[in-house]
Amino acid sequence: MTEVDELKQAYETLGLPELAAKEEVEKRYTTLMRQARSRAQQKKADAGNAEDSFAKITQAYRLILEYEDRKLTDAFNEQEYGKYKKMAGQAQKMDHFWRYYRFHTLGAIAAVALIIYGVISFMNYREEQERLANLPPVDLSVSFMGNYMLKEDAPKEEPIEKALLTAFPEWKRFTSMLTFVPADQQAQYAYMQKAVLILATEHPDVYIMDRSIFEWVGTQGVLMNLDSDVNGELKPLMKDGLAQKLKTDEDTEEHVYGIDLSSSALVDQVPLYKESMIIGIRLDSKNPEKAKEFIKKYLATIK
């Protein structure tokens, strides 16, 4: 029996005209199955015939649906690939391949891109490490923390480091970090979180702070006690009000933890918008003597 004959017989089994609409086929199938179940319940002794009836109805229904689906697929393929004429089959295969494997392909492309990115990042890291290895050792590392912002006319590359080096031509290298914390207390919260993290993880030789940040950092126990310095080698340069005293959380007695350099002429060379600059030496500074030399030179320019 040919496919056409099988299809014709399927429509006859369902009691429908050929090429009836899909909705009619589904509705008719539901009706016939309900009737067949009803007859089976009434004639329980004739269960074998009922099963045959179910099977014939279901087989006819599936045959018609498969035909309808195939017809839709053929129409779609003709619309999509008919323009390729003799190459339609090849175009269809390529399209099916892409539809099926596109996520695999995109995943492979992403993996390759990730590998390339990793290789480039590693090479850049190696180059940066080599560059740093060839640099002279750091004379002093400085962390600026507070309501400070770079001036618009500041040099694009290492503006603060270059400005600091002008006052110390005998030194080879400064490193600096700038952490902005606004003066407005309501806007400080997010910035202070960053400042807390930097205070815990970074270890500069000195901090240069505005007054509010000094009053906070000074109580954290990270700054060096400068009592002996302001009463010793720095005493000839100290003027009234320059020594900044605080109590820490662990010591209720006031000590000098900072020196106000705001009025130093050298401060004007630093390309920052600032109101006050108080310097403190970190307790674990690697270059405490150079930090004190830095303070001494800045103090010498205060009139």
Side-chain angles (χ1 to χ4, degrees):
M1 184 181 293
T2 65
E3 184 179 358
V4 174
D5 292 335
E6 288 180 347
L7 186 62
K8 183 177 180 180
Q9 186 175 347
Y11 278 109
E12 290 176 355
T13 300
L14 297 184
L16 291 171
E18 292 184 37
L19 305 180
K22 186 176 181 180
E23 292 78 8
E24 294 181 57
V25 174
E26 291 177 346
K27 184 177 180 181
R28 183 62 177 167
Y29 171 71
T30 302
T31 301
L32 290 176
M33 290 298 289
R34 189 184 302 116
Q35 292 174 352
R37 289 193 189 95
S38 178
R39 287 194 298 270
Q41 289 176 354
Q42 293 174 4
K43 300 178 180 180
K44 294 182 180 180
D46 198 11
N49 289 335
E51 289 296 329
D52 289 342
S53 179
F54 289 150
K56 288 180 181 179
I57 294 170
T58 301
Q59 184 179 3
Y61 173 70
R62 288 178 178 173
L63 186 66
I64 294 171
L65 288 189
E66 288 173 2
Y67 168 75
E68 290 291 335
D69 290 342
R70 191 163 58 251
K71 187 168 65 172
L72 289 174
T73 301
D74 291 343
F76 173 80
N77 288 338
E78 177 62 27
Q79 182 179 354
E80 288 291 313
Y81 309 111
K83 58 186 176 183
Y84 297 106
K85 297 181 180 179
K86 292 183 179 181
M87 297 295 293
Q90 189 66 24
Q92 184 178 357
K93 289 179 182 178
M94 289 295 294
D95 188 50
H96 287 175
F97 175 85
W98 172 246
R99 288 174 185 272
Y100 185 78
Y101 290 105
R102 61 180 172 180
F103 292 111
H104 301 75
T105 305
L106 292 174
I109 293 172
V112 171
L114 189 61
I115 292 171
I116 293 173
Y117 174 78
V119 171
I120 293 174
S121 297
F122 177 73
M123 292 175 65
N124 290 340
Y125 171 77
R126 288 288 300 273
E127 289 178 3
E128 179 63 13
Q129 292 300 109
E130 291 176 5
R131 186 187 73 83
L132 293 175
N134 292 326
L135 291 174
V138 176
D139 290 293
L140 199 69
S141 58
V142 184
S143 177
F144 290 84
M145 190 177 291
N147 190 24
Y148 301 138
M149 296 182 69
L150 274 174
K151 293 182 177 179
E152 290 85 352
D153 58 352
K156 291 184 178 179
E157 294 183 3
E158 301 181 343
I160 297 175
E161 290 89 336
K162 289 180 178 178
L164 295 175
L165 275 173
T166 58
F168 296 86
E170 70 279 13
W171 290 3
K172 300 297 182 183
R173 187 179 168 207
F174 276 90
T175 60
S176 71
M177 176 183 293
L178 178 59
T179 305
F180 172 69
V181 181
D184 183 1
Q185 292 186 352
Q186 292 183 345
Q188 277 185 355
Y189 181 72
Y191 295 96
M192 284 298 291
Q193 286 184 315
K194 180 181 178 182
V196 169
L197 181 62
I198 290 173
L199 198 66
T201 58
E202 302 294 333
H203 299 271
D205 293 308
V206 299
Y207 292 100
I208 294 181
M209 306 154 279
D210 63 17
R211 187 162 300 281
S212 65
I213 293 299
F214 168 71
E215 291 174 354
W216 168 64
V217 173
T219 62
Q220 304 302 309
V222 298
L223 297 180
M224 186 181 295
N225 184 325
L226 300 176
D227 285 350
S228 60
D229 298 286
V230 298
N231 292 313
E233 61 177 319
L234 297 179
K235 188 173 183 179
L237 300 171
M238 295 297 296
K239 293 181 171 56
D240 291 342
L242 296 183
Q244 304 297 305
K245 294 184 177 182
L246 284 175
K247 297 177 183 179
T248 67
D249 294 338
E250 298 178 355
D251 190 349
T252 57
E253 187 177 345
E254 281 192 337
H255 297 284
V256 177
Y257 290 104
I259 297 174
D260 191 347
L261 302 179
S262 304
S263 55
S264 169
L266 293 178
V267 165
D268 294 333
Q269 297 178 4
V270 181
L272 292 174
Y273 292 111
K274 64 270 184 188
E275 293 181 1
S276 59
M277 281 193 168
I278 299 172
I279 190 169
I281 302 175
R282 188 174 171 100
L283 201 58
D284 57 357
S285 169
K286 295 179 180 178
N287 300 293
E289 294 307 315
K290 286 190 174 181
K292 293 173 185 179
E293 186 178 343
F294 181 93
I295 293 172
K296 190 183 297 184
K297 180 165 281 193
Y298 271 67
L299 284 174
T301 65
I302 295 177
K303 296 180 180 180

